[in-house]
Structure formats: structure tokens, C-alpha cells
């Protein structure tokens, strides 16, 4: 966040932004298109999250990236009343940290937005939404799924 440190940014970071590693680079590159990719093991044909170098079940190293449905269900939820960091940029009110089980069967720790925090409940269906990060990536978030019209 300090100016003149070499890396140019489009806007100031307003949250802690996840680092990119060689293993997570394809995931973060896809978020620039607002696409949520899951790793799949070619041997088990099972999804993997978070991104890893090998399948945690069979240690297969041949993993491939496939788009996720973006649908999920809240498995656990907590409301955070204190900001993540004691900085002026982190002054948002209470926010929801939730464990979301994706339709594919893997769990993602994320935030649920677009609804009052106290209304997020276990079992709530949610869909993917995005929060722009300062470097062009987007952070996956979830919001309550709207009933089909
Ligand atoms: Zn496997």
C-alpha cells in the first residue's frame, strides 16, 4: 500500500488482499474475468479447494481447472463486529464470515453480503458475487440466492 514501492495499483486496498502463489495463480487469473475455477483431480474426478499441488485424496499431480457453478449453501456462519484491521480503510460495520459448501461439494471460507448479517443462517442457499480488489483481481463472495422467477 505504500507509494513508490514498484507495484502500481489501480486503487488503494480497502481490505486484506490474498497473496498469489504459483499454485493459486490460475485461480486468481480467472477472477479477473469473474470466473470461479475449481481444481479437479483427473484420477478421482473430484473437486479440490483450496488450490493445491496434488490431490489430497490420492496424491495425483494431474489436476485440471473447471468452472464452478457458483451455487452453494451456508454450512457455518459467524458475524464479526470488529474490523479485520485497525485501519481507517477497514471501517465497515459488522460482516459475515461463512463456510459455504459449493454445489460441487467443497467448502469455501468467505463472506456473505447483500443482506443484514443477522439474517444469514445455516442452510441458506447462496450464489457467487464478486468484490473488486485493487489489482484487477476479484474476491469471491456470496449473497443470498434469489428465488427463481
Ligand atoms: Zn485424486
Amino acid at each position: 500500500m505504500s507509494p513508490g514501492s514498484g507495484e502500481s495499483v489501480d486503487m488503494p486496498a480497502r481490505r486484506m488482499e490474498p497473496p498469489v502463489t504459483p499454485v493459486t495463480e490460475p485461480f486468481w487469473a480467472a477472477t479477473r474475468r469473474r470466473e470461479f475455477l475449481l481444481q479437479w483431480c483427473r484420477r478421482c474426478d473430484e473437486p479440490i479447494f483450496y488450490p493445491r499441488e496434488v490431490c489430497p485424496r490420492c496424491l495425483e499431480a494431474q489436476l485440471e481447472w473447471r468452472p464452478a457453478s457458483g451455487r452453494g449453501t451456508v454450512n457455518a456462519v459467524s458475524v464479526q463486529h470488529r474490523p479485520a484491521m485497525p485501519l481507517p480503510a477497514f471501517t465497515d460495520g459488522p460482516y459475515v464470515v461463512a463456510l459455504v459448501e459449493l454445489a460441487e461439494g467443497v467448502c469455501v471460507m468467505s463472506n456473505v453480503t447483500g443482506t443484514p448479517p443477522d439474517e444469514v443462517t445455516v442452510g441458506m442457499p447462496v450464489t457467487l458475487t464478486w468484490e473488486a480488489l485493487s489489482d484487477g483481481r476479484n474476491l469471491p463472495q456470496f449473497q443470498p440466492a434469489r428465488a427463481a422467477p
Side-chain angles (χ1 to χ4, degrees), residues 17-73:
E17 302 199 345
V20 178
T21 68
V23 171
T24 62
E25 198 282 330
F27 176 85
W28 288 114
T31 72
R32 295 176 182 276
R33 310 184 298 271
R34 300 200 159 194
E35 190 175 18
F36 190 112
L37 296 183
L38 279 177
Q39 279 181 316
W40 284 73
C41 173
R42 290 184 180 176
R43 187 186 293 173
C44 302
D45 200 34
E46 292 283 342
I48 298 162
F49 190 88
Y50 52 93
R52 291 169 231 219
E53 292 185 18
V54 299
C55 172
R57 284 172 291 267
C58 72
L59 304 183
E60 170 63 55
Q62 295 297 313
L63 307 179
E64 63 185 22
W65 294 92
R66 301 182 196 168
S69 69
R71 290 179 290 108
T73 305

Side-chain angles (χ1 to χ4, degrees), residues 87-136:
L87 297 172
F90 294 87
T91 54
D92 290 350
Y95 62 99
V96 174
V97 176
L99 194 61
V100 173
E101 182 174 339
L102 299 184
E104 289 79 3
V106 293
C107 287
V108 178
M109 187 70 78
S110 186
N111 303 122
V112 178
T113 62
T115 192
D118 291 340
E119 294 183 7
V120 179
T121 55
V122 171
M124 173 184 271
V126 291
T127 56
L128 191 61
T129 183
W130 298 95
E131 179 182 327
L133 297 178
S134 65
D135 60 359

